[in-house]
Amino acid sequence: MSLFLRFLLPSGLLLMLAFSSTLHAATDAPMFAGTTLTIHGETYTWSSATEENYDHNDIYTTASGQSVTVVRQSNGDTVTFRKVEPPVAAPLQAKAVLTLSAEESARIQRLERKEMRNLSVSATVHAGGVTVLRWSCHGKDQLRAVSNVDFRHLAGLGSLEKEKTVYTIFMGLGVEEGALSAEEAQAAKLLPTDGRASLVLLSGSPVAAKEDAQALAGMEALLDHYAAQREELVVQFEQREVQKAAQALARQNAQPPGPRHAVVHFWPLQPEQKAALMAQRRRRSPEPAKAGTTQQPSNAGGKEP
């Protein structure tokens, strides 16, 4: 495709390209019927063909002499290049003034009074819902722990608001079928079995620095949120799993996709656009030295010769 574009756009010919919002829209997709082609209700008739870089190029023309080029690829896909008139720029509209409701204004004011913190979490869920955690809150060192909370239930939670703090949560989530390490398994035995959301810190998790204390407070806030919203979070997770399974089954049973057909509309640059582009190129390119002159090297040492 790129080779065809280089053929279509030789040096010195500047064109603007406009790609359709969707390549498969029924109103834009070309309709082939024998030796004719219809685009936007306009019919073209096949006139000639060329072979280039493993692609087959067909030229279609109208009775008035307008033409389009159809690139046919080996897998059946086509890309049709159609020259159109330059679009007329719509007049600039005045920007609408955003008006917030009283509730939205009150919420923004409430958030502005709170401290904003980022909570970066890496969660690996093992068999039985035990999660190995690594996380930090504006600190270089990561805290490590095991938790009896299945963090898959917290997937998609982007922020958490507490009384004095708003946490923005960045979570990486994975599932591990292998067993816990010896240290992790030993720590998991200390987790409560009555369903209370909890965690046990692993060795090497510092809590002396201010950032580490903030990270621990953030994780405790996350566990409190899970305990308070457990039923809803579990239902949402189960719904996501059902939806994923349905999508996987649909992909498995789907018919192989047919050939794809796209239309690329292009038009010549307008004189003012071409002048602006050439001026920009000149500003970026160094001016050649005039004949009979030489450029003196800079005095890096800072001393006069």
Coordinates of all heavy atoms in Angstrom, one line a residue, residues 18-20 22-45 58-60 67-73 76-82 258-265:
A18 N -8.3 12.1 3.0 CA -9.4 12.1 4.0 C -9.9 10.7 4.1 O -10.5 10.1 3.1 CB -10.6 13.0 3.6
F19 N -9.7 10.0 5.2 CA -10.2 8.7 5.4 C -11.6 8.7 6.0 O -11.9 9.5 6.9 CB -9.2 7.9 6.4 CG -7.9 7.7 5.8 CD1 -6.9 8.6 5.9 CD2 -7.6 6.5 5.1 CE1 -5.6 8.4 5.3 CE2 -6.4 6.3 4.5 CZ -5.4 7.3 4.7
S20 N -12.4 7.8 5.5 CA -13.8 7.7 6.0 C -13.7 7.4 7.5 O -12.8 6.7 8.0 CB -14.5 6.6 5.3 OG -14.5 6.9 3.9
T22 N -15.5 5.2 9.0 CA -15.4 3.8 9.1 C -15.2 3.2 7.7 O -15.7 3.7 6.7 CB -16.7 3.2 9.6 OG1 -16.6 1.7 9.5 CG2 -17.9 3.7 8.9
L23 N -14.3 2.2 7.6 CA -14.0 1.7 6.3 C -15.1 0.8 5.7 O -15.1 0.4 4.6 CB -12.7 0.9 6.4 CG -11.5 1.7 6.8 CD1 -10.2 0.8 6.8 CD2 -11.2 2.9 5.9
H24 N -16.1 0.4 6.5 CA -17.1 -0.6 6.1 C -18.5 0.0 6.1 O -19.4 -0.7 6.1 CB -17.0 -1.8 7.0 CG -15.6 -2.3 7.2 ND1 -14.9 -2.9 6.1 CD2 -14.8 -2.3 8.2 CE1 -13.7 -3.2 6.6 NE2 -13.6 -2.9 7.8
A25 N -18.6 1.3 6.2 CA -19.9 1.9 6.2 C -20.6 1.6 4.9 O -20.1 1.8 3.8 CB -19.8 3.4 6.4
A26 N -21.9 1.3 4.9 CA -22.6 0.9 3.7 C -22.7 2.0 2.8 O -22.8 1.9 1.5 CB -24.0 0.4 4.1
T27 N -22.8 3.3 3.3 CA -22.9 4.4 2.4 C -21.6 4.8 1.7 O -21.6 5.6 0.7 CB -23.4 5.7 3.2 OG1 -22.4 5.9 4.3 CG2 -24.8 5.4 3.8
D28 N -20.5 4.3 2.2 CA -19.2 4.7 1.6 C -18.5 3.5 0.9 O -17.6 3.8 0.1 CB -18.3 5.2 2.7 CG -17.1 6.0 2.1 OD1 -17.3 6.7 1.2 OD2 -16.0 5.9 2.7
A29 N -18.8 2.3 1.2 CA -18.2 1.2 0.7 C -18.4 1.1 -0.8 O -19.6 1.2 -1.3 CB -18.6 -0.1 1.3
P30 N -17.4 0.8 -1.6 CA -17.6 0.7 -3.1 C -18.4 -0.6 -3.4 O -18.3 -1.6 -2.7 CB -16.2 0.6 -3.7 CG -15.4 0.1 -2.5 CD -16.0 0.6 -1.3
M31 N -19.3 -0.5 -4.4 CA -20.1 -1.6 -4.8 C -19.6 -2.1 -6.2 O -19.7 -1.3 -7.2 CB -21.6 -1.3 -4.8 CG -22.1 -0.9 -3.5 SD -23.8 -0.4 -3.5 CE -24.6 -1.9 -4.1
F32 N -19.1 -3.3 -6.3 CA -18.6 -3.8 -7.6 C -19.6 -4.7 -8.2 O -20.3 -5.5 -7.6 CB -17.3 -4.6 -7.4 CG -16.1 -3.8 -6.8 CD1 -15.9 -3.7 -5.5 CD2 -15.3 -3.1 -7.7 CE1 -14.9 -3.0 -5.0 CE2 -14.3 -2.3 -7.2 CZ -14.0 -2.3 -5.8
A33 N -19.8 -4.5 -9.5 CA -20.8 -5.3 -10.3 C -20.2 -5.5 -11.7 O -20.4 -4.6 -12.5 CB -22.2 -4.7 -10.3
G34 N -19.6 -6.6 -12.0 CA -19.1 -6.8 -13.3 C -17.9 -5.9 -13.6 O -17.0 -5.8 -12.9
T35 N -18.1 -5.1 -14.6 CA -17.1 -4.1 -15.0 C -17.5 -2.7 -14.5 O -16.8 -1.7 -14.9 CB -17.0 -4.0 -16.5 OG1 -18.2 -3.7 -17.1 CG2 -16.5 -5.4 -17.1
T36 N -18.4 -2.6 -13.6 CA -18.8 -1.2 -13.1 C -18.5 -1.2 -11.6 O -18.4 -2.2 -10.9 CB -20.3 -0.9 -13.3 OG1 -21.1 -1.9 -12.6 CG2 -20.6 -1.0 -14.8
L37 N -18.4 0.1 -11.1 CA -18.1 0.4 -9.7 C -19.0 1.6 -9.4 O -19.0 2.6 -10.1 CB -16.6 0.7 -9.5 CG -16.2 1.4 -8.2 CD1 -16.5 0.5 -7.0 CD2 -14.8 1.8 -8.3
T38 N -19.7 1.5 -8.2 CA -20.5 2.6 -7.8 C -20.0 3.1 -6.4 O -19.9 2.3 -5.5 CB -22.0 2.1 -7.7 OG1 -22.4 1.6 -8.9 CG2 -22.9 3.3 -7.2
I39 N -19.8 4.4 -6.3 CA -19.4 5.0 -5.0 C -20.3 6.2 -4.9 O -20.3 7.1 -5.7 CB -17.9 5.5 -5.0 CG1 -17.0 4.3 -5.4 CG2 -17.6 6.1 -3.7 CD1 -15.6 4.6 -5.5
H40 N -21.0 6.3 -3.7 CA -21.9 7.5 -3.5 C -22.9 7.7 -4.6 O -23.1 8.9 -5.0 CB -21.1 8.7 -3.2 CG -20.3 8.7 -1.9 ND1 -20.9 8.5 -0.7 CD2 -19.0 8.8 -1.7 CE1 -20.0 8.6 0.3 NE2 -18.8 8.7 -0.3
G41 N -23.4 6.6 -5.2 CA -24.3 6.8 -6.3 C -23.8 7.1 -7.6 O -24.5 7.2 -8.6
E42 N -22.4 7.3 -7.7 CA -21.8 7.6 -9.0 C -21.2 6.3 -9.6 O -20.5 5.6 -8.9 CB -20.7 8.7 -8.8 CG -20.2 9.2 -10.1 CD -19.2 10.4 -9.8 OE1 -18.9 10.7 -8.7 OE2 -18.9 11.1 -10.8
T43 N -21.5 6.1 -10.9 CA -21.0 4.8 -11.5 C -19.8 5.0 -12.3 O -19.7 6.0 -13.1 CB -22.2 4.2 -12.3 OG1 -23.3 4.0 -11.5 CG2 -21.7 2.9 -13.0
Y44 N -18.8 4.2 -12.2 CA -17.6 4.2 -12.9 C -17.5 2.9 -13.7 O -18.0 1.8 -13.3 CB -16.4 4.3 -12.0 CG -16.3 5.5 -11.2 CD1 -17.1 5.7 -10.0 CD2 -15.5 6.6 -11.5 CE1 -17.0 6.8 -9.3 CE2 -15.4 7.7 -10.8 CZ -16.2 7.9 -9.6 OH -16.2 9.0 -8.9
T45 N -16.9 2.9 -14.9 CA -16.7 1.7 -15.7 C -15.2 1.4 -15.9 O -14.4 2.3 -16.1 CB -17.3 2.0 -17.1 OG1 -18.7 2.4 -17.0 CG2 -17.2 0.7 -18.0
D58 N -6.8 -1.4 -10.7 CA -7.8 -1.2 -11.8 C -8.2 0.3 -11.9 O -8.4 0.9 -10.8 CB -9.1 -2.0 -11.5 CG -8.9 -3.5 -11.8 OD1 -8.3 -3.8 -12.8 OD2 -9.4 -4.3 -10.9
I59 N -8.3 0.8 -13.1 CA -8.7 2.1 -13.3 C -10.2 2.1 -13.8 O -10.5 1.5 -14.8 CB -7.8 2.9 -14.3 CG1 -6.3 2.7 -14.0 CG2 -8.2 4.3 -14.4 CD1 -6.0 3.2 -12.6
Y60 N -11.0 2.9 -13.1 CA -12.4 3.0 -13.5 C -12.7 4.5 -13.8 O -12.2 5.4 -13.2 CB -13.4 2.6 -12.4 CG -13.4 1.1 -12.1 CD1 -12.4 0.5 -11.4 CD2 -14.5 0.3 -12.5 CE1 -12.4 -0.8 -11.1 CE2 -14.5 -1.0 -12.2 CZ -13.5 -1.6 -11.5 OH -13.5 -2.9 -11.2
S67 N -11.9 9.7 -12.9 CA -11.4 8.3 -12.7 C -11.1 8.0 -11.2 O -10.9 9.0 -10.5 CB -10.2 8.0 -13.6 OG -9.1 8.8 -13.1
V68 N -11.1 6.8 -10.9 CA -10.7 6.3 -9.6 C -9.7 5.1 -9.8 O -9.8 4.4 -10.8 CB -11.9 5.8 -8.7 CG1 -12.8 7.0 -8.4 CG2 -12.6 4.7 -9.3
T69 N -8.9 4.9 -8.8 CA -7.9 3.8 -8.9 C -8.3 2.8 -7.8 O -8.4 3.2 -6.6 CB -6.5 4.2 -8.7 OG1 -6.2 5.1 -9.8 CG2 -5.5 3.0 -8.8
V70 N -8.5 1.5 -8.1 CA -8.8 0.5 -7.2 C -7.6 -0.4 -7.0 O -7.2 -1.1 -8.0 CB -10.0 -0.3 -7.6 CG1 -10.3 -1.4 -6.6 CG2 -11.2 0.6 -7.7
V71 N -7.0 -0.5 -5.8 CA -5.9 -1.4 -5.6 C -6.5 -2.7 -5.0 O -7.2 -2.7 -3.9 CB -4.9 -0.8 -4.5 CG1 -3.8 -1.8 -4.3 CG2 -4.4 0.5 -5.1
R72 N -6.3 -3.8 -5.7 CA -6.8 -5.1 -5.3 C -5.6 -5.9 -4.7 O -4.7 -6.2 -5.4 CB -7.4 -5.9 -6.4 CG -8.6 -5.1 -7.1 CD -9.2 -6.0 -8.2 NE -10.3 -5.2 -8.8 CZ -11.6 -5.3 -8.4 NH1 -11.9 -6.0 -7.3 NH2 -12.5 -4.6 -9.0
Q73 N -5.7 -6.2 -3.4 CA -4.7 -7.0 -2.8 C -4.9 -8.5 -2.9 O -6.0 -8.9 -3.2 CB -4.6 -6.5 -1.3 CG -4.2 -5.1 -1.2 CD -4.2 -4.6 0.3 OE1 -4.8 -5.2 1.1 NE2 -3.5 -3.5 0.5
G76 N -8.0 -10.3 -1.4 CA -9.3 -9.9 -1.8 C -9.7 -8.5 -1.3 O -10.7 -7.9 -1.8
D77 N -8.9 -7.9 -0.4 CA -9.2 -6.5 0.1 C -9.0 -5.5 -1.1 O -8.2 -5.7 -1.9 CB -8.4 -6.1 1.3 CG -8.7 -6.9 2.5 OD1 -9.7 -7.7 2.5 OD2 -7.9 -6.8 3.5
T78 N -9.8 -4.4 -1.0 CA -9.6 -3.3 -2.0 C -9.5 -2.0 -1.3 O -10.1 -1.8 -0.2 CB -10.7 -3.3 -3.0 OG1 -11.9 -2.8 -2.4 CG2 -10.9 -4.6 -3.7
V79 N -8.7 -1.1 -1.9 CA -8.6 0.3 -1.5 C -8.9 1.2 -2.7 O -8.1 1.0 -3.7 CB -7.3 0.7 -0.8 CG1 -7.3 2.1 -0.4 CG2 -7.0 -0.2 0.4
T80 N -9.9 2.0 -2.7 CA -10.2 2.8 -3.8 C -9.8 4.3 -3.5 O -10.2 4.8 -2.5 CB -11.7 2.8 -4.1 OG1 -12.1 1.4 -4.3 CG2 -12.1 3.7 -5.3
F81 N -9.0 4.9 -4.4 CA -8.6 6.2 -4.3 C -9.4 7.1 -5.2 O -9.4 6.9 -6.4 CB -7.1 6.3 -4.6 CG -6.2 5.7 -3.7 CD1 -5.9 4.3 -3.8 CD2 -5.7 6.3 -2.6 CE1 -5.1 3.7 -2.9 CE2 -4.9 5.7 -1.6 CZ -4.6 4.4 -1.8
R82 N -10.1 8.1 -4.6 CA -11.0 8.9 -5.4 C -10.7 10.4 -5.1 O -10.7 10.9 -4.0 CB -12.4 8.6 -4.9 CG -13.5 9.4 -5.6 CD -14.9 8.8 -5.1 NE -16.0 9.6 -5.7 CZ -16.8 10.4 -5.1 NH1 -16.6 10.6 -3.8 NH2 -17.8 11.0 -5.7
G258 N -15.2 -11.5 5.4 CA -15.0 -11.4 3.9 C -14.0 -10.3 3.6 O -13.5 -9.6 4.4
P259 N -13.8 -10.1 2.3 CA -12.9 -9.0 1.9 C -13.4 -7.7 2.4 O -14.6 -7.4 2.5 CB -13.0 -9.1 0.3 CG -13.5 -10.4 0.0 CD -14.4 -10.8 1.1
R260 N -12.4 -6.8 2.7 CA -12.7 -5.5 3.2 C -12.5 -4.5 2.1 O -11.5 -4.6 1.4 CB -11.8 -5.1 4.4 CG -12.0 -6.1 5.6 CD -11.1 -5.7 6.7 NE -9.7 -6.0 6.3 CZ -8.6 -5.7 7.1 NH1 -8.8 -5.2 8.3 NH2 -7.4 -6.0 6.7
H261 N -13.3 -3.5 2.0 CA -13.3 -2.5 1.0 C -13.3 -1.1 1.6 O -14.1 -0.8 2.4 CB -14.5 -2.6 0.0 CG -14.6 -4.0 -0.5 ND1 -13.7 -4.5 -1.5 CD2 -15.5 -5.0 -0.3 CE1 -14.1 -5.7 -1.8 NE2 -15.2 -6.0 -1.1
A262 N -12.3 -0.3 1.3 CA -12.1 1.0 1.8 C -12.0 2.0 0.7 O -11.6 1.7 -0.4 CB -10.8 1.1 2.7
V263 N -12.4 3.3 1.0 CA -12.4 4.4 0.1 C -11.5 5.5 0.7 O -11.8 5.9 1.9 CB -13.8 4.9 -0.3 CG1 -13.6 6.1 -1.2 CG2 -14.6 3.8 -0.9
V264 N -10.5 6.0 0.0 CA -9.7 7.1 0.4 C -10.0 8.3 -0.5 O -9.8 8.2 -1.7 CB -8.2 6.7 0.4 CG1 -7.4 8.0 0.8 CG2 -7.9 5.6 1.3
H265 N -10.5 9.3 0.1 CA -10.8 10.5 -0.7 C -9.6 11.5 -0.5 O -9.1 11.7 0.5 CB -12.1 11.2 -0.1 CG -13.3 10.4 -0.1 ND1 -14.0 10.1 -1.3 CD2 -13.9 9.7 0.9 CE1 -15.0 9.3 -0.9 NE2 -15.0 9.0 0.4

